Amino acid sequence: MMRSWKALRAGLMATVVAAAIGSAQAQEVTLRVHHFLPATSYAHTMFIQPWCDKIAKDSNNRLKCQIFPSMQLGGTPPQLYDQVKDGVVDVIWSLPGYTAGRFPLSEVFELPFMMRDAEATSKALWDYVQQHAPSEFKDVHPIAFHVHGPGVFHMRDKPIRTMADFKGLKLRAPTRQTNRFLAALGATPVGMPVPQVGEALNKGTIDGAVVPYEVVPAVKIHEIVKFHSETDPSEPAFYTSTFMFVMNRAKYDSLPPDLKKVVDANSGQALSGQIGKTFLAADAEGKKLTAKNTTNVIGKDELQHWKKAGEPVVEAWIKDVDARGANGRQLLEAAKALIAKHSAAR
């Protein structure tokens, strides 16, 4: 009788465990993905939606996205990080630089003239965060980090050709390091998220904006400005911005093991590089829309003056990071070495 009861209990427990496992394996999850650009933007159509399609395919449609572009769930772009950290949403795409000073170690990639290639630099950024700044993103689960292509000056009334042209201009920039660099060049920097750029240009609140070409159609910049000033492509870009694609940590932890594997397989260094490459392709598309306007290239010799002007910006970042207990110069060299490593591997 005792043996029969033990056998029955063991059978019941096995059934319960099997049912639990089966339930977990059959679980369907919908991730709420929030970002600040419209659904027509290249970021949405060429990166975010394809990523969501990929995890749905890899999970046999058990892991899906519900994407909310243009801040449809409320708040402002600088609030996106707290929304995902606090579980208001499950995944966000945004710029760390929208919350100035919150991610100081990662800002090294936004210093003047750091990036030559968005794909290689995006891979370097992922590695850098894992090796040198994981604590900055400890409250979320990182999926990818990336940068965009070379920044371009989009000007209402006159182009940028030399440093002298910056005097008296109000220029929009996305991050505090780019703002500091514009000030060093002689302009008056105006910080604002991308969605506000179109209206500010229309009203004349700003004289121009620095964004990559991929942003052009999202805010219709090509319809508002007359001039586009690029920097010599043989030189590093005068600036780039860092981006984060991250998930709520508790949401990731709650996923069944097989769905975690799907997320993991669609995360990391390779994805980061792929996004950087995608943004370069989006630049090419965005630039086509500016054909009716005037474009000039700022020459290599002129850029040497800009590099000199940017040196105090770099030194200020090093000093700031040192004051936080890190070694700023070592981190700068580590970032440069990772960029060089991934650039050489291409």
Side-chain angles (χ1 to χ4, degrees), residues 51 118-120 122-124 126-127 143-146 264-278 342:
W51 183 86
E119 181 180 359
S122 294
K123 290 181 178 180
W126 174 269
D127 287 354
I143 298 171
F145 297 105
H146 72 94
D264 294 345
N266 290 280
S267 301
Q269 184 204 94
L271 176 65
S272 298
Q274 179 185 330
I275 298 170
K277 186 176 182 179
T278 297
H342 286 292

Side-chain angles (χ1 to χ4, degrees), residues 78 116 133 240 255 306:
R116 286 186 181 272
T240 191
L255 295 175
W306 295 27

Side-chain angles (χ1 to χ4, degrees), residues 163-346:
M163 275 184 60
D165 294 328
F166 285 104
K167 187 175 181 181
L169 293 180
K170 293 175 289 184
L171 297 179
R172 175 270 177 188
T175 69
R176 68 173 183 166
Q177 296 304 330
T178 313
N179 277 323
R180 289 171 176 175
F181 188 28
L182 289 177
L185 292 170
T188 299
V190 181
M192 68 177 65
V194 162
Q196 299 175 16
V197 168
E199 183 178 2
L201 283 169
N202 255 326
K203 291 183 176 180
T205 306
I206 55 176
D207 300 298
V210 289
V211 295
Y213 277 120
E214 60 91 8
V215 173
V216 165
V219 289
K220 303 186 185 304
I221 287 177
H222 57 297
E223 298 177 5
I224 305 169
V225 307
K226 300 175 183 176
F227 302 97
H228 309 275
S229 299
E230 307 171 4
T231 53
D232 191 319
S234 69
E235 289 289 306
F238 86 95
Y239 98 99
T240 191
S241 296
T242 61
F243 293 80
M244 54 185 167
F245 190 48
V246 298
M247 182 182 292
N248 174 264
R249 182 165 291 280
K251 187 69 174 184
Y252 174 81
D253 291 341
S254 73
L255 295 175
D258 62 327
L259 293 189
K260 280 184 181 178
K261 287 182 180 179
V262 171
V263 173
D264 294 345
N266 290 280
S267 301
Q269 184 204 94
L271 176 65
S272 298
Q274 179 185 330
I275 298 170
K277 186 176 182 179
T278 297
F279 270 62
L280 284 177
D283 277 345
E285 293 301 310
K287 185 173 180 176
K288 292 177 183 177
L289 299 176
T290 68
K292 68 179 180 64
N293 297 333
T294 301
T295 300
N296 69 290
V297 178
I298 301 155
K300 191 171 184 176
D301 291 343
E302 173 62 24
L303 292 178
Q304 302 314 306
H305 303 301
W306 295 27
K307 290 180 181 180
K308 189 71 175 176
E311 288 176 0
V313 177
V314 176
E315 292 301 317
W317 177 84
I318 291 172
K319 185 177 180 181
D320 177 45
V321 169
D322 287 348
R324 297 171 185 266
N327 188 315
R329 201 165 298 280
Q330 283 186 5
L331 289 174
L332 175 62
E333 293 308 313
K336 288 181 176 180
L338 285 168
I339 292 172
K341 170 189 171 183
H342 286 292
S343 296
R346 292 196 62 216

